Amino acid sequence: VVTLFLLAAAAIAWVSMGIVAKDRWPIRWLELNGAFQRVSAEQLRASMTPLIDESFFTIDLQELRDAAKRISWISVVHVQKEWPDTITVAIEEFEPIAHWNRGQLISRKGVAFSVPEADEIQGLPWLQGPGQRLDEILLNWSEFSDQLAPMGLEIQGLKLDQRGAWSLELSNGTRVQLGRDAARDRFQRLLVSWDALMREQTAPPQDIDLRYTNGFAVLWPQDLESAKGSDS
């Protein structure tokens, strides 16, 4: 008991003497690690430097994490202290794989996130749908993309509307309506028929409507031009 009392008294005296004050054990080094593809080390350092004016013992690591996470492209932050005067920060950035609705992106981990310049990013497909069905939309996009790849086609856009109807836009400009029911079965019908559909055609279809029990309807660019000519 006496020993514990003496240790507690020594700890109180240690604090009261200012040994843990920031001027006694200041942070001198801020080490940053990460890929730094869309976030610069300078940007991260600027957000965290004002917060390290503390001692090794009193600095708030959670405050540092929060400051880093306020940078929109940062997904994960690891902050730790290294004796006697260093703070080490490691970050992971979001890796976008697709647009999500408007103003958002989808990361490689399947997480929707927002960045100010999201809609300006080029080269990503556009996925749209209700937020609660994001996982289902990602699954269909992945499976449909894998099946289109051998045909040299990609999905430019995939949409699930509020009524539950699926539609696609392919990289060749073809729009595909799959409807609400049996969307995957209807998509298989398209894959099986594609080669025959394109035989002796110089341009891909403008629209394909698979919302039929058996078969599908096709609108070719020349059909559209003929319809315009007849109207004139």
Side-chain angles (χ1 to χ4, degrees):
V1 174
V2 173
T3 301
L4 290 175
F5 174 79
L6 292 175
L7 288 173
I12 293 172
W14 189 47
V15 172
S16 65
M17 291 169 59
I19 293 178
V20 296
K22 63 183 179 182
D23 59 335
R24 290 296 186 94
W25 299 99
I27 300 297
R28 301 185 186 280
W29 303 100
L30 178 62
E31 295 185 0
L32 307 178
N33 300 295
F36 296 114
Q37 297 295 317
R38 299 183 182 272
V39 177
S40 69
E42 291 76 13
Q43 181 184 10
L44 181 59
R45 188 178 299 277
S47 71
M48 303 183 79
T49 297
L51 302 176
I52 63 172
D53 188 25
E54 293 288 340
S55 79
F56 186 85
F57 298 100
T58 62
I59 192 165
D60 188 338
L61 298 186
Q62 186 58 51
E63 190 176 27
L64 291 175
R65 292 187 191 96
D66 292 342
K69 287 296 291 288
R70 283 194 286 271
I71 300 175
S72 56
W73 278 102
I74 293 181
S75 170
V76 179
V77 183
H78 301 284
V79 181
Q80 63 183 26
K81 297 187 286 188
E82 293 187 6
W83 179 262
D85 57 3
T86 302
I87 297 295
T88 300
V89 181
I91 66 164
E92 296 178 21
E93 299 179 28
F94 286 112
E95 297 181 56
I97 59 171
H99 291 278
W100 175 239
N101 294 325
R102 286 291 176 180
Q104 288 189 295
L105 299 167
I106 303 173
S107 75
R108 190 167 298 279
K109 294 181 180 180
V111 176
F113 65 101
S114 300
V115 292
E117 66 277 20
D119 291 349
E120 306 303 319
I121 296 176
Q122 303 295 315
L124 298 177
W126 289 84
L127 308 185
Q128 298 181 60
Q132 68 272 21
R133 299 185 70 174
L134 173 59
D135 290 344
E136 180 184 359
I137 293 168
L138 281 174
L139 178 61
N140 277 358
W141 172 61
S142 177
E143 291 185 0
F144 291 169
S145 296
D146 288 344
Q147 294 173 59
L148 286 168
M151 301 158 56
L153 295 172
E154 297 178 352
I155 294 176
Q156 190 70 29
L158 172 64
K159 180 179 180 180
L160 175 63
D161 67 21
Q162 295 298 328
R163 300 179 298 104
W166 295 87
S167 59
L168 309 170
E169 183 177 349
L170 304 182
S171 53
N172 61 3
T174 301
R175 294 186 295 265
V176 180
Q177 299 290 334
L178 297 176
R180 289 181 294 177
D181 302 320
R184 291 187 178 186
D185 292 339
R186 291 172 177 174
F187 184 75
Q188 291 301 317
R189 192 190 310 163
L190 172 66
L191 297 177
V192 170
S193 306
W194 185 259
D195 287 342
L197 194 65
M198 290 300 299
R199 190 172 297 129
E200 298 181 2
Q201 296 294 332
T202 58
Q206 178 112 6
D207 290 278
I208 300 176
D209 191 343
L210 290 142
R211 295 173 295 180
Y212 295 88
T213 303
N214 298 300
F216 49 85
V218 180
L219 175 65
W220 296 95
Q222 56 266 35
D223 296 335
L224 186 62
E225 290 301 321
S226 298
K228 290 180 179 179
S230 62
D231 290 340
S232 60

